[in-house]
Amino acid sequence: MTAVKNASRAQPKRAALASFIGTTIEWYDFYSYATAAAIVFGPLFFPGESRLLSLLASFGTFAIGFFARPLGGVLFGHIGDRVGRKRSLMLTLMLMAVSTVAIGCLPTFEKAGAIAPVLLIVLRLLQGVAVGGEWGGAVLLAGEHAPEGKRTFFASFAQLGSASGLILSILAFGVASKLPNADFMSWGWRVPFLASIVLLIVGFVIRAGVDESPEFEALKEERELAEHPLKETMKQWRLVLVVLGANVYGIAGVYFSNIFMITYATQYLSLDRSMVLDAMFYVAVLQFFVQLGAAFVAQRFGTARVLTMAAVWAIVVPFIMLPLVRMGTFGSVTLGVGLATIAESGYYAVIAGFVTGMFAARIRYTAISLAYQVCGALAGGLTPLFATVLAERYSPSWVPMALFYSSFALLSLVCVRWLARREAAGDFEERGETRALVPQGLSSAS
C-alpha cells in the first residue's frame, strides 16, 4: 500500500518531466525546420535569382506546417478525449520523430528536381499534424496530474519544451554552421534532423512510465467521455475565439524573435550567421529561465496579472529591440532580442495554465488544441512571412515591423483582460476542481 502511495505521489513530477521531455523533442524538431527554412532550404530546395521569392517559398513550407496543426489538434484531441491523453501523446512523438529524420535524408532540388520540394512539403505537413496534437496533450498530462492549486506551475513544464527545444536546435545548427560553407550546405544541415532519433528513444522511454491522467480516468470510470468532442467544443465557439486571441502573442512573438530575426539579421543586415546563432542561443537560455520564473510568480501572485504585465511590455519592446539588432554587434543583438524574450517567454509560460481550465475535462484536449493550433496556423505560420514582406518593402526602416509586433501583443492583452474581468465578475461557472470556465453569454448553448 505504501509503495502505491509513493508511486502516486511521484506521478505529478513524472508527468511534468514527461511533458517537458516530449515537448522538447517536438519543438527541437519543429525549430530545426524553422532554422533550416531561414538559412538553408531557400537555396537548396527553392533555388532562383530572387532572394525574396526563395525566402518566401522556404517560409511558405514553414507556414504549411502551421496550417496542418489544427488538423493534428482535432485528430489527436479526439483520441485524447476518447481514448486517453497518454496514448495520443505516444503517437504524436513517433510521428514527429519519423518525419524529422526523413527530412534529414531528403535529396535537394539539384539532385531530384521538383520532387525534392514536394517531399519536403509532405514531411512538413506531417510535422505540423504531430505538433498539433502534442501541445494540448502535454499540457493536460502535466496539469491534470498536478497537486491541487498548482496546475499553472505544472502545466508550464510542457511550455518549457519550447525553450529547451530551441536551445538544442540552435546548438545543433550552431555547431553545424561552423563547418566550411560547402560542407554545411552539402551535408552539415542534415545532422540536426538525423539526431532526432536519439531524442525519440529517450522521450518514448520516459513517457511510457507515466500513468494516464487521473481526470481522464475518472471520466472513463463514470462513463462521461464525450461522444463527439469537436461537436461539443464548437457549441462554445465564441469562447474558443477569445482563447485563440489570448494565445496570439505567445505564439507570434516567439516566431518573430526566434525565426524572423535570424533572417532579418543575416539576410537584410548582412550580419555573420554564426554570430547571430550564438546570440540566439543565449536568448534561448534566457527564455528557459524566464519561463520557469514566470510560472512560479504566476502561481503565487496571479496568472492574469503576469500575462497583463508581459503583454504591456510587449507593446513597447519592439521599438527597443529592432534598433539594438540593427547596431549589429553580438551584445546588441543578444540584448535586443533578449528584452523581447522576457515578455514573450513570461507570457508563453503561463498562458497554458490560464486557458486549460476554461473547458470541461471531457472536451478539454480538443478545445484547447483547436484554439491554440488555429492560432498557431495564423499567428505562427504567417508572422515570418508578413515580417519578411515588411522588411523587403520598407527596409531600412524598422518601424513597420515594430508596429506589426505591437499589434498582436495588443490583441492578446485585450483578450486576457476580457477573460480576467469576466472571471472577477463571477461570470464563470466552476465545475469541481478543474475550473471549467464557461462565460455566460459566450456559449451558443446558453
Side-chain angles (χ1 to χ4, degrees):
M1 189 70 175
T2 302
V4 173
K5 285 184 177 180
N6 289 337
S8 179
R9 291 194 192 102
Q11 278 298 307
K13 294 179 181 178
R14 199 174 293 169
L17 176 62
S19 292
F20 167 63
I21 297 296
T23 52
T24 295
I25 296 167
E26 297 272 349
W27 287 113
Y28 167 82
D29 293 346
F30 213 70
Y31 280 129
S32 291
Y33 189 101
T35 304
I39 60 178
V40 173
F41 286 160
L44 291 184
F45 289 89
F46 306 97
E49 296 181 1
S50 171
R51 176 186 65 181
L52 175 62
L53 292 179
S54 181
L55 278 173
L56 289 179
S58 181
F59 277 136
T61 64
F62 176 66
I64 284 172
F66 279 89
F67 287 107
R69 282 169 60 170
L71 173 61
V74 171
L75 173 62
F76 289 106
H78 183 87
I79 296 171
D81 284 328
R82 290 287 302 154
V83 181
R85 303 354 183 174
K86 179 178 174 179
R87 264 184 219 182
S88 181
L89 288 172
M90 299 299 273
L91 291 172
T92 63
L93 192 63
M94 289 289 295
L95 181 60
M96 175 60 93
V98 170
S99 303
T100 303
V101 171
I103 289 173
C105 298
L106 282 180
T108 61
F109 186 91
E110 182 182 6
K111 294 184 178 179
I115 191 64
V118 170
L119 291 174
L120 182 66
I121 290 170
V122 170
L123 292 172
R124 178 58 176 172
L125 285 169
L126 294 177
Q127 272 196 329
V129 170
V131 82
E134 169 71 20
W135 180 85
V139 166
L140 293 186
L141 194 67
E144 292 180 350
H145 270 287
E148 185 176 355
K150 295 186 177 181
R151 182 189 296 276
T152 295
F153 183 72
F154 275 73
S156 73
F157 278 85
Q159 302 291 74
L160 277 176
S162 175
S164 56
L166 177 61
I167 291 171
L168 291 178
S169 175
I170 290 175
L171 275 175
F173 272 92
V175 171
S177 69
K178 297 185 186 302
L179 291 168
N181 192 62
D183 290 338
F184 176 74
M185 298 301 286
S186 174
W187 59 268
W189 68 269
R190 299 179 183 276
V191 175
F193 291 95
L194 297 177
S196 183
I197 192 65
V198 177
L199 297 176
L200 167 65
I201 295 171
V202 174
F204 196 88
V205 170
I206 293 175
R207 190 163 275 181
V210 179
D211 294 341
E212 181 54 81
S213 154
E215 289 188 37
F216 178 83
E217 291 288 16
L219 288 171
K220 187 176 179 181
E221 184 176 338
E222 296 167 9
R223 298 186 178 181
E224 292 185 3
L225 297 176
E227 288 293 328
H228 304 287
L230 180 60
K231 184 178 179 180
E232 289 190 34
T233 296
M234 294 313 297
K235 290 180 181 179
Q236 300 179 39
W237 63 270
R238 292 183 179 87
L239 177 57
V240 172
L241 286 179
V242 178
V243 171
L244 186 158
N247 273 296
V248 165
Y249 176 64
I251 297 173
V254 169
Y255 284 96
F256 186 99
S257 295
N258 292 344
I259 304 306
F260 167 70
M261 289 308 295
I262 295 176
T263 295
Y264 181 66
T266 58
Q267 302 291 327
Y268 289 92
L269 303 181
S270 300
L271 302 184
D272 179 70
R273 183 178 63 203
S274 294
M275 183 273 285
V276 171
L277 289 176
D278 286 343
M280 296 305 292
F281 168 75
Y282 286 103
V283 168
V285 173
L286 173 66
Q287 178 181 337
F288 181 88
F289 287 105
V290 170
Q291 283 188 216
L292 265 180
F296 177 79
V297 171
Q299 192 70 63
R300 190 174 180 87
F301 298 106
T303 303
R305 187 174 298 173
V306 170
L307 290 171
T308 299
M309 290 189 297
V312 169
W313 172 236
I315 294 171
V316 177
V317 79
F319 296 93
I320 303 171
M321 170 178 62
L322 287 164
L324 283 171
V325 171
R326 288 180 61 83
M327 290 174 64
T329 67
F330 171 78
S332 67
V333 172
T334 305
L335 177 61
V337 182
L339 289 173
T341 294
I342 292 173
E344 294 160 6
S345 53
Y347 190 96
Y348 185 74
V350 298
I351 190 63
F354 184 68
V355 303
T356 296
M358 294 185 181
F359 303 94
R362 57 189 277 114
I363 62 167
R364 189 175 293 149
Y365 199 144
T366 298
I368 67 170
S369 294
L370 183 65
Y372 183 86
Q373 301 306 345
V374 171
C375 180
L378 299 174
L382 296 180
T383 292
L385 280 172
F386 285 163
T388 299
V389 170
L390 290 173
E392 186 73 18
R393 173 68 178 81
Y394 294 103
S395 187
S397 175
W398 51 267
V399 174
M401 289 177 285
L403 292 173
F404 174 55
Y405 187 104
S406 295
S407 66
F408 50 70
L410 178 61
L411 172 61
S412 286
L413 175 62
V414 170
C415 291
V416 165
R417 292 313 307 163
W418 189 92
L419 289 169
R421 282 197 301 270
R422 295 297 294 267
E423 182 180 8
D427 289 341
F428 292 121
E429 175 188 349
E430 290 196 12
R431 298 177 183 170
E433 295 180 358
T434 61
R435 274 186 79 241
L437 308 178
V438 183
Q440 296 173 1
L442 272 185
S443 172
S444 59
S446 62

